[in-house]
Amino acid sequence: MSEQTLAASATMPPETWRAPTAEVSVVRLVLIGVAVLFIGVFLGFPLLVVFFEAFLNGVAKYFETFADSDTQHAILLTLLVAAIAVPANLIFGVAAAWAIAKYDFRGKALLITLIDLPFSVSPVIAGLIYVIMFGAQGYLGDWLKAHHIQIIFAIPGIVLATIFVTFPFVARELIPLMEEQGTQDEEAAISLGASGWQTFRRVTLPNVKWGLMYGVLLCNARAMGEFGAVAVVSGHIRGLTNTMPLHIEILYNDYQWVAAFAVASLLALLALVTLIVKTLLEWRFSDELANGPR
Amino acid sequence: MTALAQFRRDTDYIEANLSLVAPFVDERLRVKTMNVTVENLTKAFGATPALHGVSLEIASGELIALVGPSGSGKTTLLRLIAGLDFPNSGRVLFGAEDASSKSVQERNVGFVFQNYALFKHMSVFENIAFGLRVRPRATRPSEASIRQRVMTLLDLVQLNGLEKRFPGQLSGGQRQRVAFARALAIEPGVLLLDEPFGALDAKVRKELRRWLREIHDRTGHTTVFVTHDQEEALELADRVVVMSQGRIEQVGSADDIYDNPATPFVFDFIGDSSALPVIVDKGSIALDDRILSIDAKGHADGPATLFFRPNHVRLAGQESGSIVGTVTGSRRHGDIRRLELEVGLARHRCEIDVPADSDVSRNGRVAIKPTDWRLFPRDS
Ligand SMILES: Nc1ncnc2c1ncn2[C@@H]1O[C@H](COP(=O)(O)OP(=O)(O)O)[C@@H](O)[C@H]1O
Ligand SMILES: [Mg+2]
């Protein structure tokens, strides 16, 4: 035997060999086919339709949509809400994750459960709770009115509802990550003379930065796309309390389909960008994200 | 009383010998070291007791080993000294100062963690510089002197040229040395090392052991290191502290600990030994039904344990009063052969060393006599 065939036979498995977990090819093809078909029908096709409908009457008509002041306002409002809700949840998420992962205290399990609440509660219920709390007929309605504070049917209500719906994202991402990392690095930093803040900024934060970005990304996507909770508290006032998702609904109900899909295409684009950045993060830093890639 | 006398003797010894070390001391690295006093420390985690009233005097510049089985409270003691945890009672003194009210940062203790706890997003250089960079502006060294100090330390731990690497790109032994240099960078009054060689393979362990001794002699830090490896403790430390179940069993030099174990635990834990349950009666010792020709005058009557080391035994031939048993196993160790025996009626297991060329065969009968032994009273 020549050296070459020796080397080849050393690296190539025999033809009859099959990895123990590998399915026979027919089964494998069917499974992959089903998965691709499912994703295509339920995800890919609607996405295509959004862009198709948006550009149905040409590029000019598409961009005309964004000249409309109500549409512009809806986009700006969405950006504003996200710009408040995401940093708020960033701070809350980091604080909650820090407390849960690094300290032992009574009611810890309860706190973890509460953080998950927005995942299990219907967003509409979340919105209704705010209406009952802060609405004109609500518990605090009279007091708020006396002090000329309007929350429901105004921007503060939208921000509150969005914060509620999106607050698990950052905390959920950080808690397992911080728990896994334990407190040893922090102890090392403190024993080297670092203050609490220095330890946080120089050691804790860098240790979780990719997980944090990941959580913020998901939080932002949800904050911009939230419909249910916001719909209840906003009052649908055009040019005042309409966010992008609400504006899309109104345009659609007004038979302004191109405009509706044009705005929808922005949200779809946001989803795509989120997906790409998320995939990049997972691909590059999977070992530094909680529970690895999802 | 003996512990304190022992301590005095040991510190005298160290001070007397300091001059021997002095010529090799590296002045750039020489620091102000401290003596540490641990007074009656008690610590429990919930219902789990970890330390029961531990007291210990650590002399300035001393290299001291805490040795004991896993779970004996070594890490807990180290963490209490560092201030990473608080005691339920008792206190720690640095010099003459009570450290109870001092924060971890104020204690200025160099702590090397069992798994190193290197900052993995920082280069080797930044890891070592960390303790200098986080100092308040008033006491923070200039960039140039930070650089110089880090380079001196890299030189000391023999990692020159690796300062740009990240912890993930280092071997276990190299990480260990980075952790060590990082702790030294803050010029600690006391250096605490938790199982510094625990995660390394045998060969690297041996190298680093010698290296630690050399560095200690050059820098003169008061150093406490934890190990579960008694050989490491005996080889390396000026004094050894043997711990078991949250208590100090014995403190002494390696020779002391090995030659005069104070408790059955120490005899068992340090070095190889055999233990036989015997009965003391009016100065004579009985193993099961046989009276042994071992003089137990001065020992209290009642159940006791007879300890001896495998190499403190001779083959006894037909003499009366010897321990008689059957050979159940035999292993060759260099020039000697270690025999496993079952002795007495109850077939107690024990080990003895004989010359490698002895003609004792498996299942053969042997009679032995301990030439050096200790007797400890036994409960029940
Ligand atoms: N954080 C902790 N929580 C609960 N129990 C602990 C904790 N740390 C140590 N212990 C217990 O205290 C005892 C001593 O532990 P430790 O000091 O780590 O021993 P060693 O370092 O000698 O192996 C053990 O029984 C251990 O289970
Ligand atoms: Mg330990």
Side-chain angles (χ1 to χ4, degrees):
Chain A
M1 238 193 274
S2 74
E3 252 172 52
Q4 224 163 7
T5 48
L6 251 180
S9 67
T11 51
M12 295 292 289
E15 265 161 45
T16 51
W17 187 86
R18 187 155 63 80
T21 52
E23 285 299 334
V24 273
S25 55
V26 179
V27 177
R28 192 173 55 196
L29 280 179
V30 169
L31 285 177
I32 293 174
V34 167
V36 168
L37 197 70
F38 192 88
I39 291 174
V41 169
F42 288 96
L43 291 172
F45 182 66
L47 201 60
L48 280 180
V49 168
V50 168
F51 287 101
F52 178 77
E53 292 285 338
F55 287 101
L56 196 60
N57 295 343
V59 178
K61 276 269 185 255
Y62 177 84
F63 283 107
E64 220 168 77
T65 308
F66 300 108
D68 176 52
S69 75
D70 286 352
T71 303
Q72 283 177 355
H73 188 271
I75 294 171
L76 286 177
L77 181 58
T78 296
L79 291 177
L80 174 72
V81 169
I84 300 171
V86 173
N89 279 327
L90 175 72
I91 293 168
F92 164 79
V94 170
W98 177 280
I100 286 168
K102 314 270 172 176
Y103 299 112
D104 270 321
F105 54 90
R106 271 158 179 272
K108 189 160 142 173
L110 184 69
L111 183 58
I112 295 175
T113 313
L114 284 180
I115 286 174
D116 276 347
L117 193 66
F119 280 158
S120 48
V121 165
S122 159
V124 176
I125 307 291
L128 279 176
I129 292 167
Y130 283 107
V131 173
I132 291 169
M133 289 283 291
F134 305 120
Q137 268 72 48
Y139 294 125
L140 301 176
D142 290 339
W143 186 87
L144 289 171
K145 198 165 184 182
H147 290 79
H148 304 289
I149 301 170
Q150 187 165 14
I151 292 179
I152 300 304
F153 304 147
I155 293 173
I158 297 173
V159 171
L160 282 178
T162 305
I163 289 178
F164 177 85
V165 172
T166 56
F167 82 59
F169 287 96
V170 175
R172 263 288 137 204
E173 179 59 32
L174 290 186
I175 289 167
L177 195 60
M178 284 187 169
E179 273 179 341
E180 185 198 312
Q181 288 175 346
T183 50
Q184 194 117 88
D185 280 12
E186 281 79 13
E187 285 183 346
I190 286 169
S191 82
L192 291 166
S195 67
W197 171 245
Q198 284 172 322
T199 302
F200 177 74
R201 195 170 59 78
R202 288 168 180 260
V203 175
T204 309
L205 215 50
N207 270 344
V208 299
K209 65 172 179 253
W210 298 116
L212 192 64
M213 267 186 70
Y214 190 98
V216 164
L217 197 69
L218 297 183
C219 179
N220 181 59
R222 184 68 198 270
M224 291 191 173
E226 174 54 26
F227 181 84
V230 173
V232 176
V233 296
S234 101
H236 301 272
I237 308 166
R238 273 197 205 210
L240 267 182
T241 63
N242 263 349
T243 59
M244 278 164 74
L246 301 184
H247 192 59
I248 293 169
E249 192 206 17
I250 288 177
L251 291 173
Y252 189 84
N253 289 342
D254 280 355
Y255 303 104
Q256 301 183 37
W257 288 349
V258 166
F261 279 109
V263 180
S265 73
L266 283 189
L267 284 179
L269 212 59
L270 169 74
L272 284 177
V273 169
T274 303
L275 204 67
I276 290 168
V277 178
K278 176 173 168 289
T279 310
L280 284 178
L281 279 178
E282 281 170 356
W283 168 67
R284 177 71 183 75
F285 302 104
S286 63
D287 52 334
E288 293 173 38
L289 298 175
N291 314 323
R294 256 156 296 188
Chain B
M1 48 110 228
T2 46
L4 194 64
Q6 182 60 56
F7 171 69
R8 294 263 153 73
R9 231 179 65 210
D10 287 335
T11 43
D12 286 349
Y13 170 82
I14 292 157
E15 270 156 29
N17 285 280
L18 218 53
S19 56
L20 291 177
V21 179
F24 305 104
V25 164
D26 189 331
E27 282 308 323
R28 287 174 307 170
L29 296 161
R30 189 92 201 161
V31 291
K32 245 193 5 227
T33 62
M34 261 190 255
N35 63 314
V36 178
T37 311
V38 170
E39 278 182 8
N40 225 356
L41 283 184
T42 303
K43 175 74 185 174
F45 296 98
T48 322
L51 289 180
H52 304 270
V54 166
S55 298
L56 182 65
E57 299 254 1
I58 303 162
S60 182
E62 189 175 22
L63 178 58
I64 197 163
L66 299 181
V67 63
S70 169
S72 55
K74 308 179 298 288
T75 299
T76 305
L77 178 54
L78 221 54
R79 290 173 59 85
L80 290 182
I81 295 174
L84 291 170
D85 225 327
F86 62 92
N88 297 117
S89 67
R91 57 181 195 158
V92 177
L93 299 158
F94 286 125
E97 241 180 307
D98 188 349
S100 308
S101 56
K102 282 190 177 182
S103 68
V104 183
Q105 291 95 334
E106 288 164 344
R107 292 189 191 203
N108 194 32
V109 172
F111 201 107
V112 176
F113 291 83
Q114 192 162 358
N115 51 7
Y116 318 138
L118 294 180
F119 307 131
K120 59 178 188 294
H121 59 282
M122 292 182 204
S123 65
V124 167
F125 185 97
E126 286 305 322
N127 262 281
I128 299 174
F130 185 89
L132 302 173
R133 291 210 194 284
V134 296
R135 281 192 187 165
R137 200 172 298 264
T139 54
R140 194 184 309 153
S142 69
E143 189 58 39
S145 49
I146 289 180
R147 180 151 202 95
Q148 196 187 0
R149 175 139 188 92
V150 172
M151 288 305 170
T152 310
L153 285 164
L154 277 169
D155 193 36
L156 179 77
V157 299
Q158 297 160 13
L159 287 178
N160 321 57
L162 296 189
E163 65 268 23
K164 291 206 178 68
R165 295 259 188 107
F166 283 83
Q169 303 167 314
L170 299 176
S171 73
Q174 290 170 332
R175 280 181 214 177
Q176 211 285 326
R177 284 180 277 161
V178 174
F180 195 81
R182 183 177 71 175
L184 285 181
I186 62 169
E187 303 180 32
V190 184
L191 196 55
L192 305 174
L193 316 171
D194 194 1
E195 309 241 0
F197 315 124
L200 305 173
D201 59 68
K203 190 168 175 298
V204 181
R205 277 178 93 106
K206 274 230 159 77
E207 277 171 23
L208 283 184
R209 231 186 261 177
R210 204 167 315 130
W211 170 85
L212 175 62
R213 182 75 234 184
E214 272 170 29
I215 291 206
H216 175 264
D217 293 343
R218 278 172 68 188
T219 60
H221 283 97
T222 307
T223 306
V224 184
F225 79 98
V226 162
T227 174
H228 60 260
D229 180 349
Q230 42 113 358
E231 201 185 309
E232 196 164 279
L234 296 185
E235 184 184 317
L236 203 50
D238 297 322
R239 283 197 309 151
V240 177
V241 178
V242 184
M243 293 186 67
S244 164
Q245 300 186 351
R247 291 194 169 82
I248 291 181
E249 294 274 328
Q250 189 173 3
V251 183
S253 68
D255 286 349
D256 249 342
I257 300 271
Y258 192 86
D259 294 336
N260 301 307
T263 65
F265 175 84
V266 178
F267 211 123
D268 186 46
F269 188 74
I270 303 287
D272 295 333
S273 64
S274 297
L276 297 176
V278 295
I279 307 284
V280 181
D281 186 22
K282 299 190 192 71
S284 65
I285 296 177
L287 174 68
D288 300 336
D289 60 334
R290 279 176 85 95
I291 304 285
L292 304 181
S293 59
I294 287 175
D295 185 6
K297 273 201 195 72
H299 288 276
D301 286 358
T305 309
L306 177 69
F307 280 93
F308 53 87
R309 304 220 181 266
N311 54 330
H312 293 157
V313 172
R314 63 177 176 84
L315 292 173
Q318 301 296 321
E319 294 163 44
S320 67
S322 52
I323 301 169
V324 181
T326 315
V327 180
T328 58
S330 148
R331 272 172 290 144
R332 177 71 185 260
H333 276 281
D335 281 346
I336 57 150
R337 188 180 295 283
R338 173 151 305 174
L339 302 180
E340 278 171 30
L341 309 179
E342 281 179 357
V343 300
L345 277 186
R347 296 164 153 251
H348 310 288
R349 298 172 56 81
C350 72
E351 291 185 332
I352 63 166
D353 288 348
V354 294
D357 55 1
S358 311
D359 58 342
V360 263
S361 60
R362 190 174 255 266
N363 296 325
R365 300 281 291 170
V366 288
I368 57 169
K369 273 192 175 170
T371 53
D372 197 0
W373 47 269
R374 286 291 295 271
L375 205 52
F376 293 103
R378 169 165 54 98
D379 302 333
S380 83

